[in-house]
């Protein structure tokens, strides 16, 4: 029986609504065999997730979703099979979190200028970890009756040219990929079809990502359509990159994105996990060096 992989998920360590233990329990109930904990710019949920996963026999992959500024826009890089204590990665993520904190305060100031008082305090109260994200602001604005749902908040308040938008100044692409490599991991471009890019611009991103040492593309994502999957599979193959699959699950509030509810990778793709070894401690050991020597 083959394992079900879900290599993109979030906990209360960033902007998810389930604790790491709750997330693991839900993944196990959904039939997921290998789960990556990929909180935004944060690895603090990995330890609790691994402790909860051990008795269940679920394999936990240590990861993070790193915020990157590339060519004036924001993209995300999923780090897989990292050592969370690696110095360069830990320092880099700490610096990104410092900017996140300033951004959250500035979002609160801008919303207050538009007559929405207490937004920063409300978002901070909803954040259980060290991260205050736009999602926390969105939930606060829904709770206070400013919008009917999170999607409407982003559309009317938090996107570019809207009252609460603050441009990101995140990690450079080369630096982010370097942190992942130094931590012994693999770097993957997250949900590439979500970015507002032309095909030529996306190819340029993927080319630079590979030059930096990137390993793969998230071909299957909770936000990708079947056509997106086909296009991203072709892009991965054209650049000689592996394919990853992740739901980008944040919580049960969104019934359209569920852990493990993912289509299979297209058969022409090389899975990012094709050379992983999984040990009995309940987590991934990353690429198997013995297998690589044999290939």
């Amino acid at each position: 029986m083959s394992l079900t992989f879900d290599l993109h998920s979030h906990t209360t360590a960033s902007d998810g609504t389930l604790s790491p233990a709750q997330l693991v329990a839900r993944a196990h109930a959904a039939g997921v065999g290998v789960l990556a904990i990929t909180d935004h710019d944060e690895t603090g949920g990995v330890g609790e997730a691994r402790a909860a996963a051990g008795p269940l026999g679920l394999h936990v992959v240590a990861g993070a979703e790193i915020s990157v500024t590339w060519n004036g826009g924001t993209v995300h890089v999923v780090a897989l099979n990292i050592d969370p204590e690696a110095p360069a990665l830990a320092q880099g993520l700490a610096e990104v979190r410092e900017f996140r904190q300033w951004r959250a305060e500035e979002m609160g100031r801008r919303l207050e200028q538009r007559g929405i008082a207490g937004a920063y305090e409300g978002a901070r109260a909803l954040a259980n970890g060290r991260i205050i994200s736009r999602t926390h602001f969105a939930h606060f604005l829904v709770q206070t009756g400013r919008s009917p749902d999170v999607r409407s908040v982003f559309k009317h308040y938090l996107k570019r040219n809207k009252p609460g938008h603050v441009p990101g100044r995140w990690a450079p692409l080369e630096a982010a990929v370097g942190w992942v490599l130094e931590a012994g991991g693999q770097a993957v471009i997250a949900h590439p079809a979500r970015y507002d890019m032309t095909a030529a611009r996306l190819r340029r991103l993927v080319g630079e990502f590979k030059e930096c040492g990137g390993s793969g593309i998230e071909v299957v994502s909770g936000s990708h359509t079947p056509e997106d999957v086909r296009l991203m599979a072709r892009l991965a193959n054209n650049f000689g990159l592996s394919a990853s699959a992740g739901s980008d699950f944040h919580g049960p509030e969104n019934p359209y994105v569920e852990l493990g509810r993912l289509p299979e990778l297209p058969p022409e793709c090389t899975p990012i996990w094709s050379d992983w070894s999984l040990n009995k401690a309940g987590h991934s050991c990353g690429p198997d060096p013995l297998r690589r020597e044999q290939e």
Side-chain angles (χ1 to χ4, degrees), residues 66-79 89 96 169-181 187-190 195 197 201-216 241:
I66 306 174
S67 304
V68 168
T69 296
W70 178 80
N71 204 22
T74 298
V75 298
H76 292 154
V77 170
V78 168
L89 176 69
V96 175
R169 297 196 300 272
W170 309 111
L173 180 65
E174 184 175 7
V177 175
W179 301 340
V180 178
L181 297 179
V188 172
I189 297 177
Y195 306 127
M197 295 184 187
R201 184 180 171 94
L202 183 57
R203 286 195 298 271
R204 180 182 164 197
L205 167 64
V206 174
E208 291 186 18
F209 173 75
K210 183 176 181 180
E211 289 178 3
C212 292
S215 296
L241 293 170

Side-chain angles (χ1 to χ4, degrees), residues 116-251:
I116 303 174
Y120 170 74
E121 292 76 13
R124 184 178 62 183
L126 293 171
N128 293 302
R130 291 186 287 182
I131 297 296
I132 303 174
S133 75
R134 294 190 302 168
T135 303
H136 296 122
F137 279 90
H139 284 302
F140 170 76
L141 293 178
V142 170
Q143 289 179 5
T144 54
R146 292 281 180 173
S147 285
D149 53 47
V150 167
R151 182 173 295 182
S152 296
V153 175
F154 274 87
K155 180 179 179 180
H156 297 292
Y157 292 98
L158 302 181
K159 287 191 174 182
R160 188 185 300 272
N161 299 321
K162 299 302 179 181
H165 176 73
V166 179
R169 297 196 300 272
W170 309 111
L173 180 65
E174 184 175 7
V177 175
W179 301 340
V180 178
L181 297 179
E182 188 268 346
Q186 297 163 287
V188 172
I189 297 177
H191 41 61
R194 277 179 49 183
Y195 306 127
D196 186 17
M197 295 184 187
T198 63
R201 184 180 171 94
L202 183 57
R203 286 195 298 271
R204 180 182 164 197
L205 167 64
V206 174
E208 291 186 18
F209 173 75
K210 183 176 181 180
E211 289 178 3
C212 292
S215 296
I217 296 176
E218 206 167 69
V219 169
V220 171
S221 167
S223 60
H224 282 181
T225 66
E227 178 61 18
D228 291 335
V229 171
R230 288 190 288 271
L231 290 173
M232 295 311 124
R234 189 177 309 129
L235 188 65
N237 287 339
N238 287 344
F239 281 88
L241 293 170
S242 297
S244 188
S247 61
D248 196 9
F249 180 84
H250 282 71

Side-chain angles (χ1 to χ4, degrees), residues 15-141:
D15 60 348
T17 59
L18 299 182
S19 71
Q22 290 171 329
L23 182 73
V24 164
R26 189 179 184 93
H28 181 256
V32 175
V34 182
L35 177 71
I37 306 297
T38 57
D39 281 306
H40 291 285
D41 308 311
E42 175 64 75
T43 60
V46 172
E48 181 184 332
R50 283 182 164 170
L56 301 176
L58 187 148
H59 300 274
V60 167
V61 175
E65 184 174 9
I66 306 174
S67 304
V68 168
T69 296
W70 178 80
N71 204 22
T74 298
V75 298
H76 292 154
V77 170
V78 168
L80 299 174
N81 284 311
I82 53 173
D83 172 7
E85 305 301 322
L89 176 69
Q91 178 61 32
L93 294 185
E95 292 173 0
V96 175
R97 290 195 299 270
E98 287 181 9
F99 172 74
R100 274 191 174 275
Q101 177 61 33
W102 176 86
R103 184 184 74 154
E105 295 170 2
E106 179 63 13
M107 288 172 64
R109 287 188 286 266
R110 294 188 183 192
L111 289 169
E112 187 163 8
Q113 291 172 0
R114 301 299 289 266
I116 303 174
Y120 170 74
E121 292 76 13
R124 184 178 62 183
L126 293 171
N128 293 302
R130 291 186 287 182
I131 297 296
I132 303 174
S133 75
R134 294 190 302 168
T135 303
H136 296 122
F137 279 90
H139 284 302
F140 170 76
L141 293 178

Side-chain angles (χ1 to χ4, degrees), residues 11 57 121 163 191 217 239 265 268 280 290:
T11 77
E121 292 76 13
H191 41 61
I217 296 176
F239 281 88
L265 288 174
E268 67 270 21
K280 295 181 180 180
L290 177 60

